Amino acid sequence: MNILLLEDDLILSAELCKFLESNNFTCDKIYDGETFLRQIKNNSYDLYLLDINVPKINGLDVCQTIRSFDKNTPIIIISAYGDLSDKKNAFTRLADDYLVKPFQFEELLLRMNSLLRRKSPSEKSDQEIIRVDDLIINKTEQKVFRAGNEIALTLKEFQLLVYLAEAQGRTVSKQQITEHVWEHNFNTNTNTVEVYINFLRKKIDKDFKVKLIHTRSGFGYYLSPL
């Protein structure tokens, strides 16, 4: 299980990660909210631990941003703020749990394991969030983000992007695209596929230095930052 910790207290951060790693977790530690949000764009985690009072972007705003594209990954707030209003604010931002500092590490571990058990095996195996570099595809919400900015796609554009992303860098032919995206229910020719690929490129790649949608001449298309 991979944990991402947002905590600007260097000593607490180091001790907490050491404890989690001794209990068979991996733990990455981040000290400010801005860096934290950049980190989750390129990496997949099973649970987030967020302090509130951190530099640049506070933990509550980080929580709210995560929930805009990821409804499922558990979030636990760890904070010195213990008033009911603070807890209410956190749960309003859709945090899953709230633990007031100072706390016993063992209690945090119990709460983490409880949240992680709620994720059924089917949820874990059928990942609804796809990440490719700084591109995030939320299959459940049918939303797409790049570098934190939402990109509006038509339904067919979204389905095409998901199909390319789920190929995990493998090249897919125009024939495969028509079979899986249009399901032979549409009079699709090679020009139609090319047109939709160009639509996606204008929305996904045009304004970014790193291009994600590539053509393999004579074979088809693939989605990759390389």
Side-chain angles (χ1 to χ4, degrees):
M1 290 291 179
N2 301 317
I3 310 300
L4 187 59
L5 169 65
L6 176 61
E7 172 59 69
D8 64 338
D9 183 322
L10 301 185
I11 295 176
L12 176 58
S13 179
E15 290 180 347
L16 186 50
C17 274
K18 183 178 180 180
F19 170 78
L20 292 175
E21 289 166 356
S22 70
N23 283 275
N24 300 317
F25 291 93
T26 61
C27 180
D28 293 334
K29 46 187 183 292
I30 303 293
Y31 307 115
D32 70 83
E34 187 176 286
T35 304
F36 188 97
L37 290 175
R38 286 202 303 268
Q39 178 78 4
I40 65 177
K41 290 174 184 175
N42 301 319
N43 299 276
S44 179
Y45 293 93
D46 298 290
L47 186 144
Y48 301 119
L49 297 174
L50 309 179
D51 186 15
I52 294 177
N53 189 21
V54 295
K56 297 185 179 180
I57 302 176
N58 71 62
L60 292 179
D61 288 341
V62 168
C63 179
Q64 186 170 358
T65 299
I66 293 171
R67 287 296 183 242
S68 70
F69 60 83
D70 179 357
K71 306 296 184 187
N72 300 318
T73 304
I75 297 175
I76 300 178
I77 302 295
I78 52 173
S79 174
Y81 302 141
D83 291 344
L84 181 59
S85 60
D86 297 314
K87 296 177 182 179
K88 182 178 179 180
N89 197 8
F91 288 118
T92 299
R93 309 288 184 99
L94 301 182
D96 294 284
D97 205 346
Y98 193 109
L99 197 55
V100 179
K101 299 177 183 177
F103 54 83
Q104 296 290 327
F105 285 1
E106 290 289 348
E107 181 180 357
L108 174 62
L109 183 62
L110 289 172
R111 296 186 184 214
M112 289 172 55
N113 285 332
S114 176
L115 287 172
L116 291 168
R117 279 196 299 270
R118 296 178 192 174
K119 296 177 68 177
S120 69
S122 61
E123 287 177 318
K124 293 177 183 177
S125 60
D126 185 18
Q127 180 58 264
E128 296 301 323
I129 303 295
I130 305 174
R131 292 180 173 86
V132 181
D133 197 63
D134 61 351
L135 177 73
I136 297 176
I137 305 170
N138 186 319
K139 292 169 60 180
T140 302
E141 300 292 326
Q142 293 192 344
K143 291 183 177 182
V144 175
F145 300 83
R146 184 148 191 206
N149 299 309
E150 185 170 1
I151 298 173
L153 300 180
T154 66
L155 177 60
K156 197 56 64 178
E157 289 168 349
F158 180 81
Q159 291 172 340
L160 174 56
L161 182 63
V162 168
Y163 182 61
L164 291 172
E166 289 182 335
Q168 298 180 334
R170 298 188 304 274
T171 300
V172 292
S173 68
K174 293 176 183 178
Q175 181 65 31
Q176 288 173 313
I177 291 173
T178 60
E179 290 177 359
H180 288 84
V181 177
W182 276 272
E183 299 177 345
H184 294 303
N185 294 324
F186 183 74
N187 186 21
T188 309
N189 54 39
T190 57
N191 288 334
T192 302
V193 175
E194 291 171 3
V195 166
Y196 273 84
I197 288 291
N198 286 331
F199 287 161
L200 276 185
R201 280 181 166 142
K202 289 178 181 178
K203 294 183 178 183
I204 299 297
D205 281 343
K206 182 180 177 181
D207 297 326
F208 299 91
K209 182 178 180 180
V210 176
K211 308 305 180 186
L212 300 179
I213 302 172
H214 305 279
T215 301
R216 188 180 176 197
S217 183
F219 292 91
Y221 304 97
Y222 65 95
L223 188 71
S224 171
L226 303 177

